[in-house]
Amino acid sequence: MTDATLTKTIFINAAPERVWTYLVEPDKLARWFHESDKVLEAGQDYALLRENKDKPDPKMCWGRVLVSEPPHRLVYTFTHAFLNGHETEVEWRLEAAYGGTKVTLVHTGFDSFEGDVFEMLTSHDKGWDQHFSRLRMVAS
């Protein structure tokens, strides 16, 4: 058995304060991930919305913001239909780095998923790579 944690780090040519806005503001989240139904703030539930909002349930992903320490740390629960309601946890860490920002994502909670854990890990690993590529472009 191995640890079922995804950890990814990228560097963005922008200050942590700017990058932070792309993690919590609905219109900026939409530019690289999914639009949120509200600003992500500690203690609040959130939903990330589908591009096609005409479907019966516009939610793509959802959870609750657990920690918000602007502009350095954001933690929220995270689930979606393919996780069958199983909650995982996403932590973002932003650190100033030589005139830019080191962004680290730690996504945990897959080990207790009742299903194919490896499939969930590889699917989310690939998804975060795609989203990170867009985040780097829009936030720089």
Side-chain angles (χ1 to χ4, degrees), residues 42-127:
Q44 297 210 11
D45 293 338
Y46 71 91
L48 301 180
L49 308 173
R50 301 178 190 281
E51 287 182 26
N52 178 0
K53 296 177 187 147
D54 294 336
K55 291 193 173 198
D57 185 359
K59 293 188 305 186
M60 180 76 169
C61 312
W62 59 93
R64 183 166 188 80
V65 180
L66 304 175
V67 177
S68 178
E69 299 169 353
H72 302 291
R73 186 168 173 253
L74 179 69
V75 182
Y76 49 78
T77 63
F78 179 86
T79 192
H80 50 73
F82 296 117
L83 282 167
N84 300 320
H86 173 81
E87 280 194 345
T88 60
E89 189 172 286
V90 173
E91 177 180 9
W92 295 92
R93 295 182 211 140
L94 280 59
E95 302 171 64
Y98 306 104
T101 302
K102 177 182 177 183
V103 178
T104 302
L105 166 101
V106 180
H107 194 163
T108 60
F110 295 102
D111 49 350
S112 59
F113 175 68
E114 292 184 14
D116 189 334
V117 173
F118 189 77
E119 181 181 341
M120 282 296 114
L121 284 169
T122 56
S123 172
H124 285 83
D125 184 46
K126 181 179 176 183

Side-chain angles (χ1 to χ4, degrees), residues 6-61:
L6 289 174
T7 303
K8 298 194 165 288
T9 300
I10 62 170
F11 291 86
I12 296 179
N13 189 16
E17 293 80 6
R18 176 177 166 81
V19 177
W20 179 264
T21 65
Y22 283 87
L23 299 181
V24 299
E25 294 180 10
D27 59 327
K28 291 183 177 175
L29 271 163
R31 294 182 61 200
W32 70 274
F33 194 34
H34 301 286
E35 180 183 2
S36 176
D37 63 342
K38 63 182 73 158
V39 173
L40 300 187
E41 296 178 325
Q44 297 210 11
D45 293 338
Y46 71 91
L48 301 180
L49 308 173
R50 301 178 190 281
E51 287 182 26
N52 178 0
K53 296 177 187 147
D54 294 336
K55 291 193 173 198
D57 185 359
K59 293 188 305 186
M60 180 76 169
C61 312

